Amino acid sequence: MRIFASLRNRIFLTSALLAVLSIGAAIYLVNLRVTRELEAQLQREIMATGAIVEQYRSTRAQTFTTLARLIADAPKLKAAVDTDDPPTVQDTLNGYQNQFDSNMLLVTNRVGRLLAIVGASPRVAAVVASLPSIREAIAGRESFALLPQPDGMLQLVTVPITVGLTHPDILGTLSVGFLFDAALAAQLKGITGSDIAFGIDGEVLATTLPAEDRQALTSLLRRADRSGNLTLATGEYVSLPLPLAPQPDTRDGRGPGSGPVALVLRSRSQQLQVLGQIRRELGITAVAAVLLATLLSFAVARTITRPLAAITGKMREVAATGDLTRKIVLPSGQRWDDADARLVATTFNMLTDSIARFQREMSQKERLSSLGRLSTVIAHEVRNPLMIIKAALHTLRRPELSPASLREAIADIDGEIIRLNSIVNDVLDFARPIQFEIAPADLNTICRESAAAASAGAGPPVEIDLDASVPAISTDAERLRIALVNLIMNARQAMESESTASETPGAPGTGPQGSGEPHVVVSTRTTATRVGVTIADNGSGIERDVLPRVFDPYFTTKRGGTGLGLPIARHVVEGLGGTIAIETVPGRGTEVRIEFPR
């Protein structure tokens, strides 16, 4: 992917990803720990509430047991019970009801017959009088019982009413009852903060929860496992069952929810609400942390890659311009000074210095080598004219020299001097920079004049094929004309010698190639962006192993050639902003293509 192609992007994305993963893992662990702590806190709270309810129930039972004993031991009540007269006992019992805060008082005689009742209906009194706890008290033992009521559960404490200390005589029984009702549940909720429900025989008799939750509570009471999470209409709760009496043996056919029980219900919805708020805060914190980490990652990536960008930018400039004097200078005094980047910059600067020094040394060696080759060429080229001049001078010393011989010797000396001057001019043109005089010029006119100048003397004819739509170009007309004349003459000389190793540039020409009479064609053409000149011949072409070297200075395969014609021509064309290329097909011909921008 292209996004990973940049070092800055890789560093940024990697750092940001590590930050996101670290923050995500931390948030996940914190959320997990908070959830566990809230669940543990919920369990601790419900267990504490259960302990409070159980302690409250036990304390209240002890209180009413003590109350029952005090009332049973009162002489007035004993005297009334001893009369076995219900109205008498009822009057006495009414007085005790006003003194003690109980929900029910009930008195029976020694055989269990009901004598008086306060706080309950006759039907309830008949049910209580038939309870096993009454028989237990007649037998001299205190007993407890729980009786379902429409608005709750009635807990009874039954004690015997006796006379005498050593051998007490049982006159009857006294039962004191108090209710596990909605009021008591509300009181416990105010103390513990948990909802309370009282039930017996699989039915909910009193609760602090709304009526729409009774059906779900009833289903819970009828299950064997009453603890755990419970979903009600008002929310999600955790329940803890507290048996209020020993549970009956299920082998008697009674269900698991038949015993009296108090359900402690702790709301999970409130805990979940707190947990949700914590999670939202954690989410906001995570987003802020990720944004901050992303910004820091981008800053770190930019800090790392900015020096590298400066280094690579300077490298591109050096590669594009070839100027080895350009140095990488990293700004100092920054907050983060990258020692590695500074080391790379210093190493690159040292490398360019070494390359520049190497180039200077190679240039010196190349100049020395060129000077050696030039000396050889000049020595070879100059020797022949000098020998001819020397021979001409010997001829001039002869006393019997005829006028015709004199004129011939002088002509030889003059021709060889012109040849020596041409050699010197070629060397100077190649060695020194060319000063161009740029002006608008007609390319077709330059080609026509060049073809005419190069056609002088014997040799293959030069044909022209000029495109009239070629526009005027900005060039040095005289320098370009000289270069074209040189190229056309090379083509004619190659045709004359039929050599496959000439300086002539080439490829298949525009005229008939490889057949017919030898000839050279000069043509022009134009495109939307460039104009071109083509010089083609239909000679034998250039060998493949020679073609790459035709533009090398002093390389030649012609007798008497200096090897500077084509290098000078390329020097002129490229100096004028153009390009020159050679195409050749051995046995078919050679073509030189010159192009200039419009």
Side-chain angles (χ1 to χ4, degrees):
M1 295 177 63
R2 295 185 59 85
I3 191 173
F4 293 106
S6 170
L7 176 62
R8 175 186 295 181
N9 291 344
R10 291 199 298 272
I11 294 175
F12 167 64
L13 292 176
T14 302
S15 303
L17 180 61
L18 288 176
V20 170
L21 291 178
S22 301
I23 294 170
I27 295 298
Y28 173 76
L29 293 176
V30 170
N31 177 64
L32 188 63
R33 183 63 181 271
V34 169
T35 303
R36 289 177 178 175
E37 285 296 325
L38 287 177
E39 292 290 345
Q41 180 182 355
L42 189 61
Q43 291 297 326
R44 289 193 297 268
E45 290 176 353
I46 197 170
M47 294 301 295
T49 301
I52 292 173
V53 172
E54 178 61 26
Q55 182 179 5
Y56 187 85
R57 185 200 66 81
S58 177
T59 301
R60 196 173 189 191
Q62 292 177 3
T63 300
F64 277 88
T65 300
T66 302
L67 173 63
R69 289 172 183 169
L70 290 175
I71 297 175
D73 198 41
K76 186 177 181 180
L77 180 60
K78 292 180 181 180
V81 172
D82 190 44
T83 63
D84 201 22
D85 180 34
T88 302
V89 177
Q90 186 69 49
D91 291 340
T92 304
L93 197 61
N94 289 337
Y96 288 109
Q97 172 66 19
N98 297 329
Q99 298 177 17
F100 300 99
D101 184 18
S102 62
N103 296 106
M104 189 190 73
L105 292 175
L106 184 143
V107 176
T108 66
N109 62 9
R110 68 183 68 229
V111 296
R113 184 171 64 87
L114 181 63
L115 295 179
I117 184 171
V118 175
S121 64
R123 187 182 65 83
V124 174
V127 173
V128 172
S130 63
L131 292 175
S133 59
I134 300 296
R135 294 191 292 273
E136 291 285 333
I138 292 173
R141 296 184 295 271
E142 296 179 354
S143 62
F144 299 87
L146 279 167
L147 186 66
Q149 297 293 302
D151 54 351
M153 289 186 298
L154 181 64
Q155 182 168 0
L156 294 173
V157 177
T158 303
V159 298
I161 301 173
T162 61
V163 177
L165 297 177
T166 305
H167 301 285
D169 182 18
I170 298 176
L171 301 178
T173 65
L174 172 64
S175 298
V176 178
F178 58 92
L179 281 172
F180 286 92
D181 57 2
L184 178 61
Q187 183 180 357
L188 292 174
K189 181 178 180 179
I191 297 173
T192 63
S194 300
D195 287 287
I196 307 294
F198 298 117
I200 191 171
D201 294 335
E203 296 293 335
V204 176
L205 302 177
T207 180
T208 56
L209 293 171
E212 58 266 24
D213 293 331
R214 283 182 176 265
Q215 183 62 38
L217 292 176
T218 300
S219 300
L220 178 64
L221 286 177
R222 293 176 180 176
R223 295 204 316 247
D225 183 13
R226 303 168 183 168
S227 60
N229 295 339
L230 177 66
T231 301
L232 302 177
T234 54
E236 189 174 354
Y237 291 83
V238 177
S239 65
L240 176 66
L242 295 175
L244 299 179
Q247 295 297 300
D249 192 346
T250 56
R251 290 177 297 178
D252 62 0
R254 304 177 68 185
S258 59
V261 65
L263 285 177
V264 180
L265 299 160
R266 191 77 179 184
S267 175
R268 284 191 82 245
S269 300
Q270 297 177 359
Q271 300 284 5
L272 293 175
Q273 184 177 2
V274 174
L275 181 61
Q277 183 177 359
I278 293 175
R279 287 175 176 171
R280 284 192 297 272
E281 293 175 355
L282 287 175
I284 295 173
T285 303
V287 170
V290 167
L291 291 177
L292 180 60
T294 302
L295 292 176
L296 289 177
S297 300
F298 179 77
V300 170
R302 188 178 181 187
T303 301
I304 294 175
T305 56
R306 178 182 289 179
L308 296 180
I311 293 173
T312 55
K314 189 62 69 175
M315 287 180 176
R316 283 193 295 269
E317 291 181 8
V318 172
T321 62
D323 185 4
L324 297 176
T325 61
R326 301 191 180 191
K327 303 298 180 184
I328 299 175
V329 180
L330 297 178
S332 59
Q334 292 184 342
R335 181 172 300 178
W336 290 309
D337 191 3
D338 196 328
D340 294 330
R342 196 167 294 280
L343 176 61
V344 172
T346 304
T347 304
F348 179 79
N349 292 335
M350 294 174 60
L351 178 62
T352 55
D353 290 339
S354 299
I355 294 175
R357 183 171 62 254
F358 177 75
Q359 285 183 343
R360 289 193 297 271
E361 294 174 356
M362 290 301 297
S363 177
Q364 180 66 21
K365 292 179 181 179
E366 182 65 25
R367 283 196 296 271
L368 293 176
S369 176
S370 299
L371 180 61
R373 294 195 301 271
L374 178 61
S375 300
T376 301
V377 171
I378 292 176
H380 175 75
E381 294 296 324
V382 170
R383 182 183 291 116
N384 290 334
L386 289 178
M387 293 300 295
I388 295 173
I389 292 173
K390 183 178 181 181
L393 292 175
H394 280 293
T395 301
L396 293 176
R397 291 193 187 100
R398 289 185 298 177
E400 66 280 4
L401 183 65
S402 65
S405 298
L406 177 62
R407 287 192 297 272
E408 182 180 356
I410 293 174
D412 289 340
I413 293 173
D414 186 60
E416 295 306 318
I417 290 174
I418 293 174
R419 181 179 175 186
L420 288 174
N421 185 62
S422 176
I423 293 172
V424 171
N425 287 334
D426 287 345
V427 173
L428 291 177
D429 283 343
F430 178 73
R432 66 190 175 190
I434 301 177
Q435 300 295 326
F436 294 105
E437 296 180 2
I438 305 299
D442 186 352
L443 183 61
N444 287 339
T445 301
I446 295 175
C447 291
R448 192 178 295 109
E449 293 175 353
S450 300
S455 298
V462 179
E463 302 176 4
I464 56 175
D465 180 15
L466 305 178
D467 184 356
S469 63
V470 172
I473 61 173
S474 295
T475 186
D476 188 328
E478 182 61 23
R479 291 286 184 182
L480 181 58
R481 187 187 66 80
I482 294 174
L484 292 177
V485 169
N486 191 8
L487 293 174
I488 296 171
M489 291 181 64
N490 280 345
R492 295 187 71 205
Q493 292 171 7
M495 299 287 289
E496 289 176 355
S497 64
E498 295 184 357
S499 172
T500 60
S502 73
E503 292 182 27
T504 309
T510 57
Q513 301 290 325
S515 63
E517 293 297 325
H519 66 281
V520 177
V521 178
V522 179
S523 61
T524 57
R525 57 189 174 84
T526 181
T527 65
T529 58
R530 304 184 71 82
V531 294
V533 180
T534 301
I535 303 170
D537 66 65
N538 60 346
S540 56
I542 303 174
E543 296 295 333
R544 293 294 183 185
D545 57 341
V546 175
L547 183 62
R549 303 181 60 191
V550 295
F551 286 112
D552 291 346
Y554 315 118
F555 175 78
T556 182
T557 59
K558 287 193 307 182
R559 289 177 59 88
T562 62
L564 293 177
L566 287 179
I568 292 174
R570 185 173 70 172
H571 192 26
V572 170
V573 170
E574 291 181 349
L576 293 173
T579 60
I580 182 170
I582 298 178
E583 293 184 3
T584 185
V585 176
R588 294 191 59 189
T590 305
E591 186 176 90
V592 180
R593 293 178 179 175
I594 300 174
E595 290 186 346
F596 296 98
R598 294 189 59 160

